[in-house]
Amino acid sequence: MEGTHVRIGIIGAGFIGGTLTRRLTALGHQVHVANSRAPETLADLAAETGATAVLAADAATDADLVIVSIPQKNVPDLAPGIVDRRKPGAPVIETNNYYPRQRDGLIAEIEAGLTESAWVAKLIGAPVYKVFNGIYWKHLLSKGTEAGTPGRIALPVAGAPGAGQDLVFRIVDELGFDPVDGGPIEESWRQQPGTPVYGKDYDADGTRRALAEAPAERPADFRAEA
């Protein structure tokens, strides 16, 4: 699959999901995008990008890669088996962040220490990779550069090694960013909101340092109660 265009299902068409739709179609990938409403509500995005607007339940069908990019509080509303119709072994990316005070309310399992990504994986019934959660969407849209560019922005990718990670790394690189191994999904807390890497545009070395410096305790501003 290296060097070829792939079929990508995107569930969520907000700032990150919509930006990824624009960038990935521009790279020649076949994108099926969905939101929580009817496909007709994405007619403008589809016309702009050439993506195919579909129902959320159909976005993952035959996909080589699935991206879930919705508010954390809405994950329980996803249909059971939402990603089950992807191709065997196709990786699932989740870009979500838990903002208990700002948007999502209290999610007890995350407050008790489960990583945000592990919680998403549990609810959708599939392992996930965490990436794109900490970059400003306008930078995702416009600040990608060629590999080898000095100061190239790096994005941490948490998740299991293997073919799925290889594809995720490849997509991150195609988008113009250096993929940095963020460890297993159990350590994805290192890139959650409030950590040293979150919201920064560090290069690969800076990203690795920031991941290593992350405190295990969730920052007070990103807990339901201080």
Side-chain angles (χ1 to χ4, degrees), residues 155-224:
L155 301 181
V157 180
Q165 185 189 65
D166 292 344
L167 177 57
V168 174
F169 274 31
R170 177 194 140 191
I171 293 296
V172 171
D173 180 61
E174 287 183 6
L175 289 166
F177 306 95
D178 280 338
V180 168
D181 190 343
I185 212 66
E186 292 79 14
E187 291 188 18
S188 59
W189 51 267
R190 295 182 182 275
Q191 64 192 77
Q192 292 178 169
T195 59
V197 79
Y198 181 79
K200 305 297 193 298
D201 287 339
Y202 294 138
D203 65 8
D205 288 341
T207 294
R208 293 187 187 98
R209 285 195 298 269
L211 289 170
E213 293 168 359
E217 184 178 0
R218 174 176 290 277
D221 287 346
F222 296 97
R223 297 197 299 266

Side-chain angles (χ1 to χ4, degrees), residues 30-106:
Q30 180 185 6
V31 175
H32 288 66
V33 61
N35 58 17
S36 60
R37 296 169 290 162
E40 291 77 13
T41 62
L42 294 174
D44 289 347
L45 180 63
E48 174 193 343
T49 62
T52 302
V54 297
L55 292 168
D58 297 327
T61 302
D62 295 328
D64 299 291
L65 171 69
V66 180
I67 300 170
V68 178
S69 187
I70 63 175
Q72 196 82 351
K73 66 179 181 178
N74 294 346
V75 175
D77 298 331
L78 293 173
I82 190 76
V83 300
D84 288 356
R85 286 191 283 167
R86 71 194 190 282
K87 290 179 181 175
V92 179
I93 289 172
E94 73 92 18
T95 77
N96 302 0
N97 291 306
Y98 172 50
Y99 301 123
R101 300 188 196 182
Q102 301 88 342
R103 182 190 63 198
D104 297 316
L106 185 149

Side-chain angles (χ1 to χ4, degrees), residues 119-181:
W119 184 79
V120 173
K122 178 181 177 181
L123 266 63
I124 67 173
V128 300
Y129 292 87
K130 189 176 193 72
V131 62
F132 305 124
N133 72 295
I135 184 170
Y136 181 40
W137 69 271
K138 289 186 178 180
H139 295 184
L140 179 60
L141 182 66
S142 65
K143 289 200 171 185
T145 57
E146 294 290 330
T149 302
R152 191 188 200 206
I153 296 172
L155 301 181
V157 180
Q165 185 189 65
D166 292 344
L167 177 57
V168 174
F169 274 31
R170 177 194 140 191
I171 293 296
V172 171
D173 180 61
E174 287 183 6
L175 289 166
F177 306 95
D178 280 338
V180 168
D181 190 343

Side-chain angles (χ1 to χ4, degrees), residues 107-129:
I107 298 176
E109 288 181 288
I110 296 177
E111 293 285 340
L114 191 65
T115 67
E116 298 167 11
S117 295
W119 184 79
V120 173
K122 178 181 177 181
L123 266 63
I124 67 173
V128 300
Y129 292 87

